[in-house]
């Protein structure tokens, strides 16, 4: 099994609690190796293509698309055509507040109780990404507002599943399934396809890592 690396390099966020990066990669190279972290991450392709892997899902991301990488999701990417791309990342917990809406949705994103389609070419999502990215060096209160707006678009347009239940219940269900089916060949994809989980295969990577 490929080793999944916890990224431990400290991330220096700006005064608006976000971080952005820009990259250019040649064909045939890994854009980055398999790893995971607590923060949410978004990758926006300006030119070229990449094969992306998040959990057990493999897709291709192309120009003017945004790749959504939820917290604790193992991910990697291989360049299939010379590519330039931007990265936006932040810790969802930095945007928690006492409102019931934030408690409901932002904690669900961090706890992996919200699931999303991996790729979007929605114009509002792409435009909001670009606006946040461009404000990185000189953030204002509007930058904070744009982050909330961006999260709104992600939830409204890309959310595929939502649970008010905590992930711990899903973990117990995993353990029960393993105990009852230990003679089978158990794979991450099997658990997801059996719909035993409301969490992603990428989060299951994380659970395996924590228990190893």
């Amino acid at each position: 099994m490929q080793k999944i690396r916890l990224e431990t390099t400290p991330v220096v966020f700006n005064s608006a609690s976000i971080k952005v990066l820009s990259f250019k990669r040649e064909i045939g190279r890994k854009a980055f190796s398999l790893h995971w972290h607590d923060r949410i991450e978004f990758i926006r392709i300006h030119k070229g293509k990449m094969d992306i892997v998040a959990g057990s899902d493999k897709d291709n991301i192309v120009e003017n698309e945004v790749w959504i990488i939820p917290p604790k999701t193992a991910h990697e990417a291989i360049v299939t055509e010379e590519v330039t791309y931007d990265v936006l990342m932040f810790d969802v917990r930095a945007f928690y507040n006492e409102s019931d809406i934030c408690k409901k949705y932002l904690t669900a994103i961090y706890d992996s109780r919200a699931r999303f389609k991996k790729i979007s070419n929605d114009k509002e999502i792409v435009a909001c990404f670009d606006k946040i990215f461009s404000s990185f060096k000189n953030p204002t209160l509007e930058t904070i507002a744009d982050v909330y707006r961006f999260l709104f678009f992600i939830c409204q347009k890309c959310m595929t599943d939502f649970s008010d239940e905590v992930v711990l219940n899903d973990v117990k269900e995993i353990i029960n399934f393993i105990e009852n089916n230990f003679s089978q060949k158990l794979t991450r994809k099997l658990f997801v396809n059996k719909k035993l989980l409301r969490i992603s295969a990428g989060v299951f990577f994380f659970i395996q890592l924590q228990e190893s």
Side-chain angles (χ1 to χ4, degrees):
M1 181 177 176
Q2 187 177 357
K3 186 176 181 180
I4 308 161
R5 178 176 59 88
L6 165 62
E7 185 180 272
T8 56
T9 304
V11 176
V12 180
F13 297 102
N14 71 358
S15 57
S17 299
I18 64 173
K19 174 72 174 179
V20 302
L21 298 163
S22 294
F23 296 96
K24 182 176 181 179
R25 294 285 188 261
E26 297 176 354
I27 189 170
R29 289 187 56 188
K30 276 193 174 183
F32 43 82
S33 299
L34 187 64
H35 70 288
W36 64 272
H37 41 67
D38 285 338
R39 62 189 177 275
I40 194 167
E41 185 173 340
F42 306 91
I43 294 179
R44 190 258 210 255
I45 302 294
H46 289 282
K47 183 180 179 181
K49 300 177 182 178
M50 291 194 298
D51 281 341
I52 59 173
V53 178
S56 61
D57 300 325
K58 182 176 180 180
D59 296 286
N60 187 257
I61 181 172
V62 300
E63 185 176 338
N64 292 324
E65 289 185 333
V66 172
W67 178 21
I68 303 165
I69 308 167
K72 305 181 184 71
T73 300
H75 55 285
E76 65 178 336
I78 299 173
V79 179
T80 55
E81 181 181 299
E82 186 176 81
V83 65
T84 57
Y85 63 95
D86 292 337
V87 179
L88 166 65
M89 63 183 78
F90 52 86
D91 191 324
V92 173
R93 293 170 294 182
F95 297 91
Y96 283 6
N97 61 47
E98 291 303 310
S99 69
D100 290 340
I101 293 295
C102 278
K103 288 178 180 178
K104 179 177 180 178
Y105 287 99
L106 297 192
T107 57
I109 291 172
Y110 182 76
D111 293 339
S112 305
R113 291 181 283 111
R115 296 179 64 183
F116 303 89
K117 64 179 183 180
K118 298 291 192 302
I119 299 171
S120 175
N121 61 359
D122 180 87
K123 291 181 179 180
E124 288 183 306
I125 288 176
V126 174
C128 198
F129 179 107
D130 290 343
K131 187 179 180 185
I132 296 169
F133 193 95
S134 65
S135 71
F136 176 73
K137 291 184 178 179
N138 297 291
T140 66
L141 278 174
E142 186 176 11
T143 307
I144 303 292
D146 287 334
V147 170
Y148 281 112
R149 185 170 181 80
F150 188 63
L151 287 168
F152 164 70
F153 285 144
I154 294 298
C155 290
Q156 180 193 52
K157 299 169 182 286
C158 300
M159 185 183 291
T160 59
D161 196 12
F162 181 88
S163 174
D164 288 321
E165 299 174 0
V166 296
V167 172
L168 181 60
N169 291 335
D170 292 316
V171 176
K172 290 177 180 177
E173 199 169 359
I174 294 169
I175 294 170
N176 288 336
F177 181 78
I178 292 172
E179 289 176 345
N180 294 326
N181 298 274
F182 63 88
S183 60
Q184 294 187 42
K185 182 178 179 180
L186 302 177
T187 64
R188 294 179 299 278
K189 195 168 185 178
L190 173 64
F191 286 97
V192 175
N193 289 345
K194 289 282 188 179
K195 297 184 178 180
L196 292 167
L197 316 177
R198 297 184 70 87
I199 58 176
S200 69
V203 176
F204 189 35
F205 265 126
F206 170 76
I207 293 167
Q208 287 180 309
L209 187 64
Q210 294 292 89
E211 293 181 346
S212 63

